Amino acid sequence: MFDYTVETDKSITEAIASLEANLKEEKFGVLWQFDIKDKLNEKGLDFENEYVVLEVCNPHEAQRVLNENLLVGYFLPCKMVVYNDNGTTKIGMPRPTALINLVNNDEIIKLAKDIEDRLVNVINESK
C-alpha cells in the first residue's frame, strides 16, 4: 500500500501539535507547514477541506540515505498530512518504503523501513 493513514478524534490543530511533539521524540523536526486550503483560497480558488502538509526531516537519517544514493534526495523531506475528510480528521503519509523501492537498493530499503516504522509509530501515538 502506498500510504499509511489513520483517523483521530482530534481537531486538525490538536493533531498537528501532537505530531510535532511525537516527531521531536524521534528527532524529526517540521521544516515547513503548508495549509493547502488557505493557499488555494488566497488565490481565489474554492477549496473548503482543511488540508495541511507537514514536511518532516531527521537530519541524521537524511545524511544516511543520501550517503547511499543521492537520488534519494528526490523523496526528501518526508511528508505527513493532516486533513478533514467528511468531518473526520485523518493523519497520514506516503510510506517511505513505497517510494524508496524505485531506487532499487537493498541498503536504502532497510533504512527506509526503519524510518517508516518510526514514523508509523509517531502517527499512532498522535491519533
Side-chain angles (χ1 to χ4, degrees):
M1 185 170 248
F2 160 76
D3 71 305
Y4 181 77
T5 305
V6 299
E7 295 182 357
T8 180
D9 293 330
K10 294 179 179 175
S11 69
I12 300 282
T13 303
E14 292 168 332
I16 291 170
S18 185
L19 270 175
E20 289 176 331
N22 289 314
L23 283 163
K24 192 174 187 177
E25 292 294 316
E26 284 291 336
K27 297 186 177 26
F28 281 81
V30 176
L31 302 174
W32 187 53
Q33 184 173 317
F34 179 52
D35 187 321
I36 291 179
K37 176 186 172 186
D38 283 353
K39 183 53 78 177
L40 291 176
N41 290 170
E42 176 186 306
K43 300 296 181 184
L45 300 170
D46 185 31
F47 187 78
E48 293 309 313
N49 260 16
E50 297 289 332
Y51 203 102
V52 179
V53 178
L54 306 174
E55 292 200 342
V56 304
C57 184
N58 175 313
H60 176 74
E61 299 301 346
Q63 179 191 31
R64 283 176 51 191
V65 296
L66 287 168
N67 280 337
E68 282 293 320
N69 187 327
L70 292 175
L71 292 177
V72 175
Y74 289 25
F75 308 122
L76 298 179
C78 296
K79 290 194 178 5
M80 292 188 155
V81 296
V82 182
Y83 61 101
N84 183 295
D85 184 13
N86 294 316
T88 302
T89 301
K90 294 187 177 181
I91 304 170
M93 69 174 186
R95 291 182 177 272
T97 54
L99 299 172
I100 293 297
N101 278 326
L102 298 171
V103 177
N104 199 21
N105 177 308
D106 289 340
E107 185 58 33
I108 293 176
I109 291 170
K110 286 185 219 170
L111 295 171
K113 177 68 171 127
D114 175 57
I115 293 165
E116 180 176 306
D117 290 345
R118 291 163 53 201
L119 292 177
V120 164
N121 287 335
V122 163
I123 289 174
N124 289 338
E125 290 174 12
S126 300
K127 63 180 184 177

